[in-house]
Amino acid sequence: MADERLLDEPDNSAMLLPPMGRAWAQRWFVYLAFFFPALAGFLFGYDIGAASGAVNSVNELVGLSSIMKSLLTSSSLIGATVGSIAVFWLGEPLGRRREILTGATLYVLGSALSAISPNGIILYSALVGRAIYGLGIAFSMHAAPVYISEMSPSDIRGQLVSAKEGFIVFGIMAGFSVSAACQAVMSKDAAFRGIWAVPLLIGTGIFVGMFSMPPSPRWLLLQASRQLASANKYRDQAVKALQRFRRGASDAQIEAEVAEIEQSLGTDFETSWKDLLDARRALVAGLGLISLQQLTGQPSVLYYQQQIFEAAGFGSFSKYATVIIGAAKLIATLFAVRYVDNFGRRPLLFVGTTMMLVSLVVLGTGFFFSTREGDSVTLPPGWPPVIVVTLVAYVCGYQVGFGPIAWLIISEVFPLKTRTRALSAAVTVNFGFNLLMTFTLQLLQDAFDSISPGKGQSYLFYLYGVLCVLSLVFVWAFVPETKGKSLEEIQQMLK
């Protein structure tokens, strides 16, 4: 099998290098193994950034009703939600590596259908293609954090899983930039082809790269515990995989890590709904965080970003608000990546959520005292720069806390034998609440406007602020600190 062929002998030549060079030589393969799943996250972000421009281009070609525009825009998210349910059953037998390979294949197929189809059927092929692309998002976003978490040494695990969020943010910025460039140099009714062709190339690169990577050693040991006839084969593969991920480690260190993983599996190797529900502390922490990540308003607040920049007097430059906000998100994410394994998960969640809370109170107050004429908003004197800075602070708070840390926590807290199904539940909840927030945004604002005309947007910000307060209480009460612990130590701590 390809998995066995790719698990070569360890390379201990790094021991001949000076300390700094030795550290890099021992870790370079871990960073390479991180890169390809992270690229899968990049394509998730790319779709978020590029969708609007691509759909507008299709609209120029065939003319779309408002319902069809909404459906074409959200079809990838619908596919991702359906796919996250499917991986509940498919994820475990596939394994993390083959899940990412499946996601890359779906990225390529979905992009091809969207970019290459003839004009006469482009609407229908794009709808199907974007739904297939969404399935690729589901497989990739389910497997990527788990693969990265399971193969990483504990002292850099937080950095690498959090850095995946940075790739998503970079993907959003790249999607917006490629969309703008294609619309500038190509005819408006053909720009979507250039926009949707980019994931064809990157998805192919992910497939080729992941094909050369070993499977997760923890997944291999889980299979060894369940398939007794092939137990020795899977265990040998796990040892060889760890030797590649822990270059420079002694045989005794490798065996000690294998023994720790095997001990964490216990003697009951089959997984049932009861096992998932028995991991109550992990389930509450993981599903609670991933729900609050959406419920604290991040998708909705960013919906208003262009309007906020227009109200601040940026005029036609407001359409580039995505770039400014994207740059702020990326800088804040890099901060989280740098310090998550120094400060810990809980402190960053407290700091980030507090920043969001204060920002939402300021945003709500600014819009409470604003005046509205149609879709135009006029802020009180002196407030425009305050509101723009506050929006940037809100985004930075999200990227320091909920953005990367929620995905990191859910990749760490669940026991190995229930991790696949638990992550599937978490991803389904995440995409489901994202859809809920998207579709209820206008309904909530209209409901608040009916209570107090013109104040709906302000009350919406205050509502998200209340949810931030609840989030702080939730983190204090239910989210464990996992910094510096192996996945097996975390499992033992949460029993």
Side-chain angles (χ1 to χ4, degrees):
M1 288 177 61
D3 287 354
E4 294 177 85
R5 176 174 51 83
L6 294 168
L7 299 174
D8 54 15
E9 294 302 316
D11 178 9
N12 293 316
S13 60
M15 300 305 294
L16 303 175
L17 297 172
M20 288 187 65
R22 187 186 309 158
W24 168 253
Q26 291 173 347
R27 294 280 171 86
W28 73 266
F29 190 77
V30 171
Y31 296 131
L32 183 64
F34 152 80
F35 179 70
F36 298 110
L39 267 185
F42 173 91
L43 287 185
F44 174 38
Y46 181 87
D47 183 66
I48 296 171
S52 178
V55 170
N56 287 338
S57 175
V58 174
N59 184 48
E60 292 283 344
L61 179 65
V62 299
L64 299 172
S65 66
S66 58
I67 293 177
M68 287 307 298
K69 285 184 72 173
S70 297
L71 183 60
L72 186 56
T73 301
S74 61
S75 55
S76 62
L77 187 55
I78 294 170
T81 305
V82 173
S84 62
I85 298 172
V87 296
F88 187 91
W89 289 276
L90 298 177
E92 196 65 71
L94 281 174
R96 292 49 158 146
R97 173 178 170 272
R98 285 185 292 194
E99 258 196 273
I100 297 170
L101 288 170
T102 302
T105 303
L106 292 167
Y107 276 146
V108 170
L109 179 59
S111 299
L113 278 172
S114 302
I116 302 174
S117 296
N119 288 349
I121 61 169
I122 186 57
L123 175 58
Y124 305 105
S125 62
L127 280 170
V128 174
R130 284 184 52 70
I132 292 174
Y133 191 100
L135 292 174
I137 291 173
F139 279 87
S140 299
M141 295 305 294
H142 176 261
V146 183
Y147 183 84
I148 295 169
S149 179
E150 290 185 347
M151 65 85 185
S152 299
S154 59
D155 61 322
I156 60 169
R157 186 180 64 240
Q159 290 183 356
L160 293 184
V161 178
S162 300
K164 179 189 67 66
E165 178 73 15
F167 272 72
I168 295 174
V169 174
F170 184 53
I172 294 172
M173 297 178 66
F176 180 83
S177 301
V178 170
S179 176
C182 287
Q183 291 179 82
V185 302
M186 302 173 70
S187 62
K188 289 185 177 180
D189 60 356
F192 68 89
R193 298 191 186 278
I195 296 169
W196 283 331
V198 171
L200 271 171
L201 302 175
I202 298 176
T204 301
I206 294 170
F207 186 92
V208 173
M210 280 307 301
F211 192 79
S212 65
M213 294 295 110
S216 159
R218 285 175 167 83
W219 178 81
L220 289 168
L221 288 171
L222 181 62
Q223 301 315 301
S225 70
R226 289 176 171 173
Q227 301 182 38
L228 297 182
S230 303
N232 289 335
K233 180 190 74 172
Y234 279 116
R235 193 182 191 281
D236 288 344
Q237 288 185 42
V239 169
K240 291 178 181 179
L242 273 174
Q243 287 172 339
R244 296 186 76 184
F245 290 130
R246 306 289 185 267
R247 289 170 185 257
S250 66
D251 290 343
Q253 289 172 317
I254 296 293
E255 282 297 329
E257 186 167 353
V258 169
E260 184 182 24
I261 297 168
E262 289 176 328
Q263 184 179 9
S264 73
L265 289 169
T267 56
D268 183 10
F269 305 126
E270 295 306 315
T271 305
S272 65
W273 280 101
K274 182 180 181 298
D275 294 313
L276 191 58
L277 295 175
D278 281 346
R280 282 186 294 273
R281 291 183 64 190
L283 207 60
V284 169
L287 296 189
L289 271 184
I290 215 70
S291 302
L292 290 167
Q293 184 193 57
Q294 299 296 319
L295 290 174
T296 46
Q298 202 261 166
S300 303
V301 173
L302 292 187
Y303 175 84
Y304 294 114
Q305 63 187 3
Q306 184 169 337
Q307 184 185 70
I308 289 172
F309 275 75
E310 288 172 351
F314 281 79
S316 60
F317 187 76
S318 299
K319 62 183 179 181
Y320 298 108
T322 303
V323 175
I324 299 171
I325 296 301
K329 284 166 72 77
L330 187 58
I331 292 169
T333 304
L334 292 175
F335 174 88
V337 169
R338 171 64 181 82
Y339 290 108
V340 66
D341 283 320
N342 297 90
F343 297 154
R345 286 59 161 154
R346 281 167 58 92
L348 289 185
L349 281 170
F350 283 127
V351 170
T353 307
T354 301
M355 289 174 65
M356 292 170 66
L357 170 60
V358 174
S359 299
L360 287 164
V361 171
V362 175
L363 286 170
T365 303
F367 277 87
F368 184 85
F369 292 108
S370 67
T371 56
R372 179 186 295 273
E373 292 182 16
D375 291 331
S376 177
V377 175
T378 303
L379 293 167
W383 273 88
V386 174
I387 290 296
V388 170
V389 170
T390 301
L391 177 62
V392 172
Y394 172 85
V395 167
C396 289
Y398 176 84
Q399 291 304 138
V400 166
F402 274 124
I405 306 302
W407 288 105
L408 172 57
I409 290 291
I410 65 170
S411 74
E412 294 179 321
V413 296
F414 294 110
L416 177 56
K417 67 179 181 179
T418 62
R419 192 169 293 151
T420 296
R421 291 187 172 183
L423 262 291
S424 174
V427 173
T428 303
V429 167
N430 182 266
F431 287 131
F433 274 113
N434 194 320
L435 276 172
L436 178 68
M437 297 298 286
T438 301
F439 285 117
T440 59
L441 170 64
Q442 195 59 51
L443 293 173
L444 281 171
Q445 183 174 335
D446 291 344
F448 285 134
D449 277 329
S450 68
I451 298 170
S452 183
K455 307 301 181 186
Q457 198 169 337
S458 172
Y459 291 161
L460 203 56
F461 290 143
Y462 286 142
L463 173 62
Y464 297 144
V466 170
L467 289 166
C468 282
V469 174
L470 294 177
S471 298
L472 289 169
V473 174
F474 178 85
V475 171
W476 177 80
F478 297 109
V479 177
E481 181 54 71
T482 58
K483 181 187 75 170
K485 295 180 172 64
S486 71
L487 296 179
E488 289 66 44
E489 288 171 336
I490 295 169
Q491 178 179 336
Q492 188 65 31
M493 178 178 68
L494 293 177
K495 277 188 175 180

